[in-house]
Amino acid sequence: MENAIKEFDTQLMRTEEQKDVVFQRKCQLIVLDGIKKGSKIDLNRPLVRIGKREDNDFVLDEKTVSRNHLEIIQSEDRYLLKDLESTNGTFINDIRVKEAYLSPGDIVRLGNINAEFVAFDEKVHIEPSPNNQFGPLMGRSRKMRQIFSVLEKISPTNATVLVEGETGTGKDVVARAIHENSTRKNKPLIVFDCSAVAENLIESELFGHMKGSFTGAVSTRKGAFEEANGGTIFLDEIGELSLELQPKLLRALEQREIKKVGSNESIPIDVRVICATNRNLKKEVGEKRFREDLYYRLSVVKIHIPPLRERPEDISFLIEHLLTRGKFNLQPDNTLKVTRVEDDALKMLARYQWPGNVRELVNILERIVPMVDGNAITGQQVGYVFQELEREDEDATEKMMVDMALPFKEAKQKVVEQFEKEYLSSLLRRNHYNISKTAREAGVDRKHIRNLLKKYGILDDNITDDE
C-alpha cells in the first residue's frame, strides 16, 4: 500500500502558493484629535501607560492630560483600562471610570483628547511545521503543516481560539488537540454544542441554574462553564448562538465569572475557551447576526481548516493512516484486512469533491472495506460506493415532496420532519445502527439523536449506543 501511495502522490505534487492560514487579533487606540491626531497606540503588550511624562509608553503632551493619566493592561484576551488618579479623569463613552474593560468601538477621553479602541484581524505568515501530525490531526500538505505550526505555538498558552471550517473538516479534533497539548490537559475538556440545545435551555446549560428557578428545575445544577473550571470549554457551532444570549457569554468572558439562572451570586471561573463554526463569523458580524465585540473576544487566534478538496495530497496519506489505525479494517485475529489501494481507486478518490470532508472519507472507507475480497481496494469497488451515494441522494430528493394544499407553516414542518426521518435512517444504516457514531457524523448531541429516533419510531433492537 505504501509504495502505491507514494507513486500516486508524485503525480499530485505541485508548487503551491504560500498562503497565510491564521489571523491574530490586534488592538489599538487611535487618537481622534489634538496634535497627535491619527496616531496609533499598539496595545498588544502586557502594559501600556499613557500620559504627559516622557517615560510613558505613549506621550500625549496636552495640558488637560495628566503626567501619568492611565494604563491599559492586557490579560489573555481582555484589555483593562485603569485611571491613574488623573486630574481631569478618564471617560469611556462619556462615562467617567476608575477602571473598565474595553470593547471595540469604545471612545476613550483623556482630558480633551479622544481616542477610539479598535480591534482587527491581522494575517500572520506561518512557516510550515516539519511534522505531519499534531495530536490526532494528520496531514502532510503545506496548508495542514502551517496549521500544525500554529497549534504548536498557541496550545501551551491560554489564548482563546476560533476554529472555522466546513462540516466534517475536524474542528472538534483541533479543539481536542489544543487541550491535550496545553497546560490544562489534566483538567476537564467540556464540549458544548450550541446547535444541539433548545434555545430556552442554553443559558441554563452554559451557566447552570438554581433549584426552582424555572419549571423543571428540581435541583441546583452546574453548567458547562463551571464543569470546565480549571480546564477548557469547547463551544461548538458558536455561530448558532442567538443574539439575545451573546451579551451574556461576552460578559462571562470579560469578567471571568458567571451567574446561575435564578441566582444573584457571581461564581469566578478559570477556563480556556475554544470555539468552532462552519459559518464565516466576520460576514455574520457585517450582517448584524453576530456581535462584533464578542467576535473579537473569541478570535484572539483564528484558524481556518481547509476542506479536503483543497488539499488532495492529503487524501492518500489519510487513507493510509485510517486503514492502518481504523477498527473497521481489523479482522478477528487483529490483522489488517486491507493492506493496499490500487492506483485507479486512489485516482478516483482524489478526484472526488468530498462535500463531507474527512468525516465522509472515513465513512466511505468503512463502506468499502467489507466489500473487499482480497487485501486491496479496487477502482470498481470505489465506483460502486460512489454510485450508491448518488442513488441515496436521488431517492432523498424524490421523497422530499411538498404538499401544496397545506398552509405554509404546516407544509414546511412536514418537509422538515420527512427530511429528519430519512436523514437519520440513512445515517444509522451507514454507521451500522450505532447512535454514538451517528451523532458524531451528524454533528449533533447524542441525546438529541436518541430523542429524534424515538419521535419517528426508528428505535429498534438493532440499534446500539456504545462508543
Side-chain angles (χ1 to χ4, degrees):
M1 180 170 66
E2 189 176 353
N3 290 337
I5 287 173
K6 282 182 180 174
E7 210 172 287
F8 175 70
D9 279 342
T10 324
Q11 302 166 23
L12 272 177
M13 292 303 247
R14 65 187 189 278
T15 306
E16 197 175 289
E17 263 184 57
Q18 294 188 8
K19 294 183 179 178
D20 297 312
V21 294
V22 64
F23 292 82
Q24 189 168 16
R25 189 185 65 177
K26 302 286 283 185
C27 292
Q28 294 176 336
L29 276 179
I30 300 178
V31 181
L32 302 178
D33 39 35
I35 58 172
K36 291 206 172 180
K37 180 179 179 180
S39 298
K40 296 176 181 179
I41 308 169
D42 184 13
L43 301 179
N44 287 83
R45 293 182 271 172
L47 177 67
V48 175
R49 286 193 175 91
I50 302 173
K52 193 156 49 178
R53 270 179 53 164
E54 291 185 0
D55 60 352
N56 282 289
D57 299 296
F58 188 82
V59 179
L60 270 175
D61 191 9
E62 209 276 343
K63 62 182 180 180
T64 58
V65 174
S66 295
R67 290 161 61 83
N68 295 306
H69 201 105
L70 64 82
E71 64 183 17
I72 298 173
I73 303 166
Q74 181 189 13
S75 173
E76 297 178 6
D77 57 350
R78 300 180 294 168
Y79 292 83
L80 178 64
L81 179 149
K82 288 187 176 183
D83 179 78
L84 300 176
E85 299 183 359
S86 61
T87 303
N88 293 314
T90 300
F91 296 76
I92 297 180
N93 302 327
D94 293 327
I95 298 172
R96 187 163 185 164
V97 297
K98 285 294 182 184
E99 62 177 56
Y101 287 102
L102 292 168
S103 295
D106 283 348
I107 302 298
V108 179
R109 176 154 53 90
L110 312 77
N112 293 333
I113 301 296
N114 292 288
E116 182 181 4
F117 178 71
V118 298
F120 57 94
D121 290 336
E122 181 181 71
K123 284 185 178 181
V124 180
H125 177 71
I126 300 293
E127 286 300 318
S129 169
N131 302 312
N132 292 331
Q133 183 174 359
F134 183 82
L137 291 165
M138 307 288 295
R140 61 182 172 200
S141 63
R142 181 182 180 85
K143 291 179 180 180
M144 289 306 293
R145 289 188 295 110
Q146 282 179 310
I147 290 171
F148 298 160
S149 182
V150 174
L151 296 178
E152 288 162 3
K153 291 178 174 66
I154 61 103
S155 291
T157 73
N158 283 317
T160 303
V161 182
L162 174 64
V163 186
E164 293 184 336
E166 294 179 5
T167 299
T169 49
K171 300 183 291 293
D172 56 332
V173 183
V174 173
R176 199 177 318 123
I178 293 173
H179 176 73
E180 289 172 356
N181 286 273
S182 74
T183 56
R184 298 171 178 261
K185 62 184 177 183
N186 296 321
K187 297 293 184 178
L189 168 64
I190 301 298
V191 179
F192 185 85
D193 188 340
C194 299
S195 67
V197 180
E199 191 171 319
N200 63 325
L201 294 176
I202 287 183
E203 184 178 1
S204 167
E205 293 292 318
L206 276 175
F207 307 128
H209 62 252
M210 301 299 292
K211 180 180 178 179
S213 56
F214 55 86
T215 304
V218 295
S219 61
T220 298
R221 184 173 179 272
K222 289 182 178 180
F225 270 95
E226 204 172 352
E227 293 282 356
N229 207 23
T232 304
I233 187 167
F234 173 47
L235 301 174
D236 200 6
E237 299 303 342
I238 189 69
E240 304 300 322
L241 199 66
S242 69
L243 280 169
E244 290 73 24
L245 281 168
Q246 288 175 26
K248 295 179 180 179
L249 176 59
L250 177 64
R251 196 175 306 118
L253 297 177
E254 286 184 334
Q255 305 297 331
R256 290 293 192 246
E257 60 184 29
I258 58 168
K259 286 182 181 178
K260 284 184 167 74
V261 175
S263 172
N264 292 320
E265 182 183 346
S266 295
I267 301 171
I269 52 169
D270 171 26
V271 295
R272 182 182 192 168
V273 179
I274 303 173
C275 301
T277 179
N278 57 14
R279 298 188 182 193
N280 182 333
L281 279 196
K282 187 73 173 174
K283 185 178 178 183
E284 295 291 302
V285 169
E287 295 176 0
K288 308 298 183 186
R289 289 194 292 266
F290 202 85
R291 290 177 62 109
E292 183 179 27
D293 46 7
L294 178 58
Y295 169 75
Y296 281 112
R297 187 70 66 200
L298 297 175
S299 58
V300 177
V301 176
K302 185 168 72 172
I303 298 173
H304 178 75
I305 308 298
L308 194 52
R309 64 182 172 274
E310 291 182 7
R311 46 189 181 100
E313 60 270 47
D314 280 340
I315 292 172
S316 59
F317 183 64
L318 288 169
I319 290 171
E320 181 181 3
H321 171 75
L322 292 168
L323 290 177
T324 304
R325 308 281 180 86
K327 291 182 180 179
F328 63 89
N329 193 34
L330 285 180
Q331 301 187 99
D333 62 355
N334 282 332
T335 59
L336 298 179
K337 179 177 181 180
V338 173
T339 58
R340 191 166 60 87
V341 182
E342 293 186 356
D343 286 349
D344 59 340
L346 280 171
K347 288 175 183 176
M348 292 175 71
L349 291 165
R351 284 195 295 265
Y352 186 59
Q353 287 298 295
W354 300 107
N357 293 293
V358 178
R359 187 180 291 148
E360 186 179 13
L361 174 60
V362 175
N363 178 265
I364 283 179
L365 288 176
E366 287 182 343
R367 283 185 172 211
I368 293 173
V369 167
M371 298 167 50
V372 176
D373 293 325
N375 66 344
I377 293 176
T378 66
Q380 185 179 6
Q381 291 156 354
V382 173
Y384 175 81
V385 170
F386 283 165
Q387 288 173 7
E388 193 179 51
L389 288 170
E390 286 178 12
R391 280 195 298 270
E392 288 175 3
D393 290 341
E394 289 169 4
D395 289 346
T397 303
E398 287 175 9
K399 289 175 182 175
M400 202 64 64
M401 302 298 292
V402 179
D403 188 346
M404 300 301 293
L406 293 174
F408 172 79
K409 189 174 180 181
E410 290 179 31
K412 178 183 175 183
Q413 183 62 30
K414 194 172 180 180
V415 169
V416 169
E417 289 178 352
Q418 197 174 348
F419 162 75
E420 287 180 342
K421 186 174 181 179
E422 294 298 331
Y423 179 86
L424 288 173
S425 298
S426 176
L427 207 57
L428 267 174
R429 286 195 299 272
R430 280 164 55 174
N431 287 287
H432 310 294
Y433 296 93
N434 183 288
I435 290 179
S436 296
K437 290 180 179 178
T438 300
R440 280 196 295 272
E441 185 170 348
V444 176
D445 184 75
R446 188 171 56 184
K447 292 179 183 176
H448 186 56
I449 289 283
R450 181 170 276 280
N451 289 337
L452 287 174
L453 295 177
K454 286 180 182 177
K455 175 181 177 180
Y456 297 118
I458 301 174
L459 281 171
D460 60 37
D461 294 338
N462 293 323
I463 293 177
T464 60
D465 198 8
D466 59 291
E467 293 291 334

